[in-house]
Amino acid sequence: MAQIVNDWRLDFMRAHPRLFDVMPGEPEHSFGYPLCNEGWREVLENLCIRIEAVLQQGETFAFVRIKQKMGILRVDWDGGISDETEIRVVEAVDLATARSACTCEICGIEGTLYSNREWLATRCSRHATGDPVPRRPGFENVHLLRRRPSGSDMYHARYDRDTDTLTEIEPPSDSDE
């Protein structure tokens, strides 16, 4: 008989039943089971709240994968939603991704990207291993984002951690040093 994993991830998924389908007996194998540390729990909670707020009657949404990759949150999802809802879901995912890029995945306080033998992780100075990844001055919280998951319309945005907002900006040029 499979042992049931009892950690924050399972509680988190059960708190958002419209977004997760928890497999009985093997919840850690459920689609969307967060493969990241608890420091990003608040990031994920805000993501779920935003998505639940925009889902319309009859629309379906499910997380397929939530994980840490290259030091930031990666989210894959599927659903039957309108174009308008899709735009709002993508905005919510973009905000969560941007916030993860400056949040220690261990404890949740402000952090930065570190490289440890080519393994990237966003950490605070207390939990950091390796060396900080250098950022171009003035572009520390700039992200290249996609407006729609299936589209190629890309844009650059600056993330403000204090207000939890993204502001579209002109793309950095090679002369911006």
Side-chain angles (χ1 to χ4, degrees):
M1 175 173 235
Q3 181 178 354
I4 295 181
V5 175
N6 189 17
D7 65 10
W8 71 268
R9 295 166 184 90
L10 185 54
D11 294 337
F12 165 74
M13 292 170 66
R14 287 187 175 141
H16 302 281
R18 189 166 181 198
L19 310 180
F20 294 95
D21 185 20
V22 180
M23 291 175 49
E26 293 185 319
E28 69 278 9
H29 293 126
S30 300
F31 286 114
Y33 183 84
L35 299 174
C36 59
N37 289 305
E38 191 168 9
W40 285 352
R41 184 176 186 168
E42 183 180 348
V43 173
L44 294 174
E45 286 288 349
N46 288 335
L47 172 61
C48 289
I49 290 166
R50 286 179 172 130
I51 292 171
E52 290 166 337
V54 300
L55 287 176
Q56 303 297 311
Q57 183 81 13
E59 291 183 326
T60 59
F61 178 96
F63 285 106
V64 174
R65 184 176 18 249
I66 298 173
K67 65 181 182 176
Q68 185 269 51
K69 184 175 180 182
M70 298 184 70
I72 62 172
L73 181 69
R74 303 294 176 148
V75 175
D76 297 316
W77 56 273
D78 193 16
I81 57 178
S82 69
D83 289 346
E84 180 181 326
T85 300
E86 181 181 10
I87 290 168
R88 301 293 168 244
V89 167
V90 170
E91 289 171 353
V93 170
D94 286 350
L95 276 169
T97 300
R99 183 140 188 112
S100 75
C102 59
T103 301
C104 177
E105 70 171 298
I106 303 297
C107 67
I109 68 169
E110 189 167 356
T112 191
L113 190 63
Y114 284 84
S115 177
N116 185 17
R117 297 186 182 143
E118 298 185 22
W119 175 259
L120 297 173
T122 301
R123 303 284 172 87
C124 65
S125 58
R126 191 175 115 221
H127 293 113
T129 56
D131 301 308
V133 174
R135 301 285 183 154
R136 288 169 52 180
F139 292 95
E140 291 83 1
N141 283 319
V142 173
H143 305 276
L144 179 62
L145 303 168
R146 183 172 291 145
R147 291 192 199 285
R148 305 184 95 175
S150 57
S152 60
D153 186 17
M154 306 292 284
Y155 72 103
H156 286 83
R158 181 176 310 283
Y159 178 71
D160 183 318
R161 184 179 169 83
D162 293 333
T163 60
D164 195 29
T165 56
L166 286 165
T167 304
E168 191 167 348
I169 63 168
E170 290 296 317
S173 69
D174 289 336
S175 64
D176 292 328
E177 297 285 335

